[in-house]
Amino acid sequence: MSSEELKGTLDRRQVLQLVGAGGLLGGVGKIPGWSAGENIAGPIAATSEEAPPSTAVPWYGQDLVRGHLSWLHPAWTRPEKDFDARRWIDQFERAGFRSFVFYSRFHDGVCNWPSKFQELKPERDFVAEITAEAHRRQLRVILYYSTGPDEWAADRHPDWRCVRRDGSVGGPLAPGYKRWFKFPFCCPNSPYKDYMRGQIEELLTHYDVDGFWLDVMQFPGSDS
């Protein structure tokens, strides 16, 4: 499918359906004003041995380097005092980044924005602050969101955890997963699916993000 044929083919509801089916969004347009009829740029394959012109490459394929901000922020790190979005973006600009990944939620399940689906609220809306400052400097923001491992949800809803065929759960770990991986997996066939989709819809609706990284959307690989 050409880039012209892609125009208007996906709306917000279809994106959420892709999320529910295990889709990965590499880059989307301006989210708050996004409606049916707007296009989403997708990867464009070359039709010959020659590389496509630079104007045909989506923005997320143009950067030689991209920042990845591994901000692990579990509940025990509260309260959050030392955060300055301007200082962070200053450093990104000095490093030459034009885009970067920011964690909206890691495997610990703690949200870096005030999600209505989680009773623990951050003292500040870190997603809003970093996104606003980045866009003020013309930097693009990709939100990282952990879809499978979720310690917060699994601890509060044990019935959401992935289980063995006999219904048992092996300690704090997802059954069958490597023993060094401490975070439990939640099952997308449980009500966790609605919880996760609700949070992703919050981010799509309220924040001007340029892309999503939906990480670890899978079932554990064995039943032993």
Side-chain angles (χ1 to χ4, degrees), residues 5-109:
E5 291 171 326
L6 282 170
K7 291 182 179 180
T9 59
L10 293 178
D11 61 18
R12 186 186 302 275
R13 181 171 298 279
Q14 288 170 305
V15 168
L16 293 174
Q17 290 172 345
L18 283 175
V19 169
L24 172 64
L25 288 178
V28 298
K30 295 286 186 177
I31 297 301
W34 189 24
S35 62
E38 292 184 319
N39 79 306
I40 301 175
I44 300 174
T47 56
S48 68
E49 294 183 359
E50 297 182 359
S54 59
T55 55
V57 179
W59 68 263
Y60 50 85
Q62 296 177 16
D63 291 350
L64 179 62
V65 293
R66 174 173 296 132
H68 185 122
L69 186 60
S70 295
W71 189 24
L72 312 187
H73 188 42
W76 53 266
T77 64
R78 309 293 164 122
E80 316 92 333
K81 300 296 184 185
D82 187 16
F83 180 80
D84 186 339
R86 288 177 297 179
R87 182 179 177 184
W88 285 25
I89 301 301
D90 283 345
Q91 295 179 62
F92 291 168
E93 285 189 320
R94 289 198 299 271
F97 296 146
R98 297 188 301 174
S99 61
F100 63 93
V101 176
F102 184 80
Y103 280 31
S104 64
R105 199 192 79 180
F106 187 59
H107 304 332
D108 52 50

Side-chain angles (χ1 to χ4, degrees), residues 68-76 78 101-113 118 127 143-153 180-184 192 195 199 203 213 215-216:
H68 185 122
L69 186 60
S70 295
W71 189 24
L72 312 187
H73 188 42
W76 53 266
R78 309 293 164 122
V101 176
F102 184 80
Y103 280 31
S104 64
R105 199 192 79 180
F106 187 59
H107 304 332
D108 52 50
V110 177
C111 296
N112 289 324
W113 82 97
Q118 186 174 103
V127 172
L143 285 187
Y144 175 104
Y145 182 93
S146 175
T147 61
D150 189 329
E151 189 169 26
W152 179 269
W180 54 262
F181 194 84
K182 70 179 289 288
F183 300 104
Y192 177 69
Y195 172 82
Q199 289 189 334
L203 294 169
W213 178 354
D215 196 21
V216 203

Side-chain angles (χ1 to χ4, degrees), residues 114-119 121 152 194-195 197-199 202:
S115 174
K116 68 180 181 181
F117 296 93
Q118 186 174 103
E119 59 269 30
K121 311 294 184 192
W152 179 269
D194 296 326
Y195 172 82
R197 285 168 61 110
Q199 289 189 334
E202 281 184 331

